[in-house]
């Protein structure tokens, strides 16, 4: 039996007055993955002021979406785009950098691409950038 692990790990952090979420994407995401993770993220965001969500999306172990999951991701992004202050995309491939550029056009805040989690966290938590 060949197993293909996939899913989304969600870590919520508070450092001083800053709250941010780290999403680690793994494998090829499915519609069922989004059915699981979207309610968790929505519940975590309910108490935050509008436009204050900070995200790190770790795509280093990500392999893509099923067609329905890609649609789920697009809908989720549209629904919450006004609430995102900063989105750091961490990856190793050119298409992940392109994903960050597209996200920067779509969200009300900023999105940037990084190759390390350390760089992403530093930018995300630095108010001056």
């Amino acid at each position: 039996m060949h197993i293909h692990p996939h899913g989304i790990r969600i870590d919520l952090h508070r450092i001083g007055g800053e709250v941010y979420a780290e999403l680690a994407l793994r494998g090829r995401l499915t519609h069922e993955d989004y059915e699981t993770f979207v309610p968790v993220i929505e519940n975590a965001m309910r108490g935050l002021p509008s436009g204050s969500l900070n995200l790190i999306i770790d795509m280093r172990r990500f392999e893509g979406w099923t067609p329905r999951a890609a649609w789920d991701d697009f809908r989720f992004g549209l629904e919450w785009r006004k609430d995102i202050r900063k989105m750091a995309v961490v990856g190793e491939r050119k298409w992940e950098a392109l994903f960050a550029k597209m996200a920067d056009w779509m969200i009300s805040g900023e999105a940037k691409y990084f190759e390390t989690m350390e760089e992403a966290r530093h930018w995300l938590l630095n108010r001056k950038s």
Side-chain angles (χ1 to χ4, degrees):
M1 181 167 137
H2 195 86
I3 298 173
H4 297 283
H6 61 91
I8 303 166
R9 188 188 77 233
I10 303 167
D11 296 321
L12 300 173
H13 302 273
R14 181 179 298 275
I15 298 177
E18 294 290 326
V19 175
Y20 74 97
E22 288 185 15
L23 307 175
L25 312 181
R26 181 178 180 177
R28 185 173 167 90
L29 297 181
T30 66
H31 172 68
E32 292 77 19
D33 293 326
Y34 279 82
E35 285 183 321
T36 300
F37 109 85
V38 168
V40 172
I41 287 291
E42 288 177 340
N43 189 46
M45 292 190 304
R46 278 195 181 87
L48 297 176
S50 181
S52 66
L53 180 63
N54 295 307
L55 293 172
I56 295 178
I57 301 176
D58 183 354
M59 300 181 80
R60 294 174 294 178
R61 297 175 76 190
F62 180 57
E63 296 171 11
W65 299 271
T66 63
R68 189 164 178 195
W71 176 248
D72 291 335
D73 189 76
F74 180 73
R75 277 192 356 224
F76 178 77
L78 284 179
E79 184 175 339
W80 292 100
R81 68 185 175 3
K82 292 180 182 177
D83 291 297
I84 298 173
R85 185 171 76 87
K86 285 185 170 182
M87 176 190 295
V89 176
V90 179
E92 300 169 336
R93 297 168 288 227
K94 288 183 181 183
W95 74 267
E96 294 161 341
L98 180 60
F99 176 83
K101 285 183 183 182
M102 289 177 14
D104 192 47
W105 298 330
M106 293 183 69
I107 66 172
S108 63
E110 289 181 81
K112 288 190 179 185
Y113 173 77
F114 300 91
E115 292 182 351
T116 70
M117 290 295 284
E118 183 178 324
E119 292 171 323
R121 285 184 188 116
H122 177 75
W123 175 76
L124 196 78
L125 298 171
N126 183 351
R127 290 189 165 276
K128 295 177 186 174
S129 57

